Amino acid sequence: MKITLKDGSVKVYEAAASVYDIAFDISEGLARAACCAKIDGETVDLRTVIDHDCELSICTANDGEGLAAIRHTASHVLAEAVKNLFPEAKLAIGPSIDTGFYYDFDHEAFSREDLDALEAEMKKIIKKGEKLEKFTLPRAEAIEFMKERQEPYKVELIQDLPEDAEISFYRQGEFVDLCAGPHLMSTKGVKAFKLTSSSMAYWRGDSDKARLQRIYGTAYNKKEDLAVHLERMEDAKRRDHNRLGREMELFTTVDVIGQGLPLFTPRGTKMLMKLQRWIEDLEDKEWGYVRTRTPLMAKSDLYKMSGHWDHYKEGMFVLGDEEKDREVYALRPMTCPFQYYVYKNTQKSYRDLPYRMSETSTLFRNEDSGEMHGLTRVRQFTITEGHLVVRPDQMVEEFKGCIALAKYCLTTLGVEEDVTYHLSKWDPENREKYIGEPEVWNETEQHIRDILTELEIPFVEDVGEAAFYGPKVDINAKNVYGKEDTMITIQWDALLAEQFDMYYIDQNGDKIRPYIIHRTSMGCYERTLAWLIEKYAGKFPTWLCPEQVRVLPISEKYEAYAAKVLRELRARDIDAEVDNRSEKIGFKIREARLARVPYMLVVGQQEEEEGLVSVRSRFAGDEGQKPLAQFLEQICEEIRTKEIRKEEQQEEKG
């Protein structure tokens, strides 16, 4: 058999051989470093026997697949440790993930002390260095095998596997787990690991199923790599918007109000207002939108027309009982059907299109309580929602325009390099989730594919992520912990105009169905604020800061001059405050720095006599004395242009 290696070279073997044996034949060092392999693109175990011509790539810890094999093996070591220390615990699932691994157990909550004890037990298991051995069983035997071991979750997993699925297990010493692999050859390959946290998780992500305990961990091939990761995780904790946003008094939540219903303080509200005014002016004055204002609820009739009642009802807050009440209402989860009736309010001709409607829309979605997190997953949120009603011949250019607007917003916020683009497609194997015929879906998906290719935007394609009425572009970003959320969505809709009897009059006087683009320009205000908190660790660009300048009089003798400076700042719409406390100036400066205020203006005798301010900034430390007029001109320009000023040096401690 001919084995084509990653570098293009070919090795010939007379008999079947395992991947490990081939790696050893290439070099002993490669065999020691190998974690798994890819055969014709499929990731496999080193134990896998090759008996045919193929392309083979040996994966080490430097490859994503190799690192995943280390982490997957670490999850099995964790499971064995849990069974050793807590034999009553039941095993659920334990995959590798982008940041490490986790394992779910049916057990009471694990404390930090429990995690420390489990780490110690894992080290003992790793030191023993048991080989991992793979074996398979027929379905009936596999079910009985796990029943004997009293592992009901594993029994359920086996029962749900396809009839023709191979049911494989991995054994390490006395411990056995249901698993498809791949894994390392022995537990000794787990060289650097850490259990990082534990939390509640629902079995199979379903809130109606059992509540489990999930232990998170991470693993690397080298202790140095683990140390870098742990430091990165500490930085993530410092940046976590759910912690930092509360510390900065931007928002809070209250149990008696409810989960997923944040309260914004004056500081957080000011930031949201700045974002909203910017977006509304941008869309209305520069991108040709008209602004609408529509109700927060509607009768179920509206959602039945749009299809949301059939496809999205479980995600809506329904007001009333369909079986008893003459009229049932629901809080709106989206604005599109409301804006359709704004469009239909007057007859439109082909000359009136495109008709671009935008609204700062407050929406409501009945998210699962287990999904709630800070500002990124909430039940009430506000979005920069818009719908463009266009002629079919305008669709491609208008779709490009929506992408251009989204990219402009991302660039202005300084996050354009942090996103990935996704073409979210329908799933033809699950047609009941969608409306429309396959031909329409295939055509519209190809249009979006062509647009992204023409614009030279790298993208991936996600099956099953489309809206029920059309494919879309999702612009995603990861939070500090690596979880990906959709920030901006642009959807192609060639179907809903029919259901709402929307039309325009063409040049021949005929009624023609328009196309619709559903889009956001910046996305959800709450999620965007969370993103910005984590991106900038609370050190926002000056234009976005709730407090842009703090005036610091050296003593009470200069409070009058400080008040004058404050009036000049506020007269130019600069958000400024004065610190008149009878504290030393060094203390006031430290307090302002801790509050992440961009600029501090220290004023004393010389500043008052000569109309100056002594400028200290987050960006360059002590910037020296400047005429007040000069500082005002500079900061107004920075705010007007929405400049993202870089920190040139760390300010000295004072």
Side-chain angles (χ1 to χ4, degrees):
M1 59 185 180
K2 294 180 180 180
I3 307 298
T4 304
L5 302 178
K6 184 162 52 176
D7 63 1
S9 62
V10 177
K11 295 187 74 69
V12 179
Y13 295 90
E14 296 298 325
S18 72
V19 173
Y20 180 81
D21 290 337
I22 295 172
F24 195 88
D25 182 52
I26 296 170
S27 85
E28 188 175 339
L30 178 61
R32 284 197 303 269
C35 299
C36 62
K38 295 175 75 173
I39 298 176
D40 293 333
E42 180 184 355
T43 305
V44 299
D45 246 307
L46 296 175
R47 305 163 189 77
T48 303
V49 174
I50 301 177
D51 58 3
H52 60 281
D53 295 353
C54 66
E55 294 183 358
L56 175 65
S57 177
I58 309 295
C59 302
T60 69
N62 294 325
D63 303 301
E65 296 84 358
L67 189 57
I70 292 173
R71 291 169 170 175
H72 197 178
T73 303
S75 79
H76 278 222
V77 174
L78 166 61
E80 181 180 354
V82 168
K83 294 296 285 187
N84 289 349
L85 299 187
F86 307 98
E88 72 281 4
K90 303 302 180 187
L91 303 175
I93 58 171
S96 67
I97 55 177
D98 286 347
T99 55
F101 61 90
Y102 69 80
Y103 210 113
D104 290 345
F105 304 92
D106 191 339
H107 191 264
E108 62 187 32
F110 294 98
S111 66
R112 183 64 247 182
E113 290 73 21
D114 292 334
L115 299 189
D116 293 340
L118 288 168
E119 283 185 359
E121 183 67 16
M122 290 174 70
K123 289 176 182 177
K124 293 178 185 177
I125 295 168
I126 292 167
K127 188 175 181 180
K128 285 172 64 178
E130 298 279 10
K131 290 184 178 179
L132 279 87
E133 300 171 327
K134 182 178 181 180
F135 65 94
T136 62
L137 290 174
R139 177 182 295 272
E141 290 183 33
I143 291 173
E144 189 59 33
F145 181 70
M146 277 302 172
K147 282 183 177 178
E148 290 174 359
R149 300 179 80 88
Q150 298 182 15
E151 297 291 356
Y153 298 100
K154 300 296 183 181
V155 171
E156 182 179 327
L157 289 172
I158 296 169
Q159 291 172 333
D160 288 348
L161 288 171
E163 287 295 329
D164 59 348
E166 178 185 81
I167 303 173
S168 60
F169 299 82
Y170 279 81
R171 184 191 307 276
Q172 56 197 52
E174 296 299 314
F175 178 77
V176 180
D177 202 354
L178 172 74
C179 188
H183 284 284
L184 303 178
M185 298 296 282
S186 86
T187 59
K188 273 192 175 176
V190 182
K191 297 175 182 175
F193 74 93
K194 180 71 177 175
L195 299 183
T196 54
S197 64
S198 64
S199 65
M200 189 275 291
Y202 291 112
W203 172 232
R204 294 187 155 182
D206 187 339
S207 60
D208 293 329
K209 297 185 183 295
R211 292 164 66 96
L212 306 176
Q213 298 301 319
R214 175 171 295 177
I215 296 178
Y216 286 98
T218 192
Y220 284 87
N221 192 47
K222 298 177 182 177
K223 291 182 178 179
E224 297 84 354
D225 294 338
L226 175 62
V228 169
H229 173 83
L230 293 178
E231 174 54 36
R232 193 162 56 239
M233 292 300 291
E234 285 302 310
D235 182 58
K237 290 178 184 177
R238 289 190 289 268
R239 290 173 177 267
D240 184 344
H241 83 275
N242 207 17
R243 171 178 170 270
L244 185 55
R246 296 172 196 270
E247 287 180 3
M248 295 183 67
E249 298 181 8
L250 300 178
F251 74 95
T252 187
T253 51
V254 181
D255 286 343
V256 73
I257 291 175
Q259 230 182 347
L261 300 170
L263 301 173
F264 289 94
T265 63
R267 295 173 63 83
T269 301
K270 183 160 285 190
M271 291 189 68
L272 294 175
M273 288 171 62
K274 290 182 180 187
L275 288 169
Q276 181 178 335
R277 288 167 178 165
W278 166 54
I279 289 294
E280 290 181 351
D281 285 347
L282 180 69
E283 291 178 339
D284 299 353
K285 296 178 181 178
E286 299 182 35
W287 289 81
Y289 284 80
V290 294
R291 193 144 299 277
T292 68
R293 185 180 178 93
T294 56
L296 299 180
M297 67 177 76
K299 294 193 294 186
S300 59
D301 306 51
L302 180 73
Y303 305 116
K304 289 174 182 176
M305 288 177 63
S306 66
H308 289 97
W309 201 254
D310 292 332
H311 295 274
Y312 200 78
K313 182 182 173 183
E314 69 281 356
M316 298 166 67
F317 288 101
V318 177
L319 310 176
D321 187 328
E322 288 186 87
E323 295 184 3
K324 296 189 302 184
D325 298 330
R326 185 172 60 85
E327 289 186 342
V328 174
Y329 285 75
L331 297 178
R332 65 179 183 184
M334 74 298 296
T335 312
C336 43
F338 297 84
Q339 288 194 327
Y340 297 162
Y341 281 96
V342 173
Y343 172 84
K344 284 165 60 76
N345 185 53
T346 58
Q347 183 170 284
K348 306 292 190 299
S349 83
Y350 70 98
R351 299 179 187 274
D352 298 315
L353 304 189
Y355 190 73
R356 308 182 188 100
M357 295 172 284
S358 188
E359 183 167 330
T360 302
S361 303
T362 297
L363 306 178
F364 305 86
R365 295 188 182 174
N366 192 9
E367 299 281 6
D368 190 290
S369 60
E371 295 293 320
M372 299 295 107
H373 177 69
L375 300 179
T376 58
R377 185 75 67 171
V378 292
R379 286 175 169 155
Q380 175 183 310
F381 57 94
T382 302
I383 196 167
T384 61
E385 191 165 21
H387 296 87
L388 292 77
V389 184
V390 305
R391 303 193 309 263
D393 63 287
Q394 297 170 325
M395 188 66 165
V396 169
E397 287 306 311
E398 288 297 314
F399 203 91
K400 289 179 186 176
C402 292
I403 293 176
L405 174 56
K407 291 186 74 172
Y408 177 82
C409 292
L410 294 171
T411 301
T412 303
L413 294 172
V415 294
E416 73 281 2
E417 295 181 358
D418 302 335
V419 302
T420 55
Y421 288 77
H422 299 249
L423 167 50
S424 295
K425 307 188 295 183
W426 80 319
D427 181 358
E429 302 299 318
N430 192 11
R431 290 188 58 180
E432 66 272 10
K433 281 179 59 179
Y434 310 93
I435 61 175
E437 297 303 316
E439 298 76 21
V440 176
W441 283 92
N442 294 337
E443 180 183 349
T444 53
E445 286 173 4
Q446 187 59 47
H447 278 307
I448 296 177
R449 191 177 291 113
D450 292 342
I451 288 170
L452 292 171
T453 302
E454 179 186 338
L455 296 176
E456 299 182 346
I457 296 175
F459 66 97
V460 296
E461 300 192 12
D462 299 330
V463 175
E465 294 299 317
F468 69 85
Y469 49 80
K472 56 182 176 169
V473 171
D474 284 327
I475 304 177
N476 295 357
K478 291 182 179 180
N479 68 12
V480 288
Y481 297 110
K483 183 181 182 300
E484 191 169 71
D485 287 306
T486 297
M487 310 308 295
I488 295 173
T489 292
I490 305 167
Q491 301 175 351
W492 185 301
D493 176 7
L495 299 171
L496 288 185
E498 177 77 28
Q499 294 181 223
F500 282 86
D501 191 27
M502 297 168 65
Y503 63 87
Y504 65 91
I505 305 300
D506 71 1
Q507 52 267 54
N508 299 318
D510 296 326
K511 292 183 176 180
I512 305 295
R513 298 292 182 204
Y515 283 178
I516 303 167
I517 301 174
H518 308 238
R519 50 100 274 184
T520 58
S521 51
M522 185 196 68
C524 166
Y525 285 93
E526 289 83 355
R527 188 173 286 182
T528 298
L529 180 57
W531 189 11
L532 294 173
I533 292 170
E534 295 183 351
K535 166 75 174 182
Y536 292 106
K539 296 181 178 180
F540 307 108
T542 302
W543 73 275
L544 263 178
C545 287
E547 183 182 359
Q548 296 162 328
V549 179
R550 188 172 294 182
V551 185
L552 309 177
I554 290 175
S555 73
E556 62 182 14
K557 291 189 295 184
Y558 307 106
E559 288 181 4
Y561 181 58
K564 177 185 176 183
V565 172
L566 180 66
R567 287 194 298 273
E568 294 289 338
L569 290 163
R570 289 184 171 175
R572 290 160 178 79
D573 292 327
I574 297 167
D575 290 308
E577 301 291 340
V578 172
D579 186 348
N580 278 328
R581 293 176 297 171
S582 55
E583 301 283 356
K584 292 183 178 179
I585 193 64
F587 177 83
K588 292 182 179 182
I589 291 171
R590 284 194 297 274
E591 289 281 290
R593 274 210 313 266
L594 288 172
R596 299 171 175 81
V597 179
Y599 291 96
M600 294 155 273
L601 303 183
V602 180
V603 295
Q605 181 178 351
Q606 185 181 5
E607 286 82 10
E608 182 176 34
E609 291 175 351
E610 301 181 24
L612 305 172
V613 288
S614 290
V615 181
R616 284 175 175 263
S617 74
R618 258 188 4 220
F619 316 103
D622 188 350
E623 297 190 18
Q625 290 182 324
K626 297 180 181 180
L628 176 58
Q630 180 185 346
F631 174 77
L632 291 170
E633 182 180 348
Q634 290 173 345
I635 191 173
C636 286
E637 180 67 7
E638 182 181 339
I639 292 170
R640 185 190 66 79
T641 60
K642 298 179 175 56
E643 177 186 353
I644 301 175
R645 191 176 175 189
K646 304 297 182 184
E647 292 192 16
E648 300 166 12
Q649 63 182 52
Q650 293 294 319
E651 187 176 357
E652 74 279 3
K653 294 182 179 180

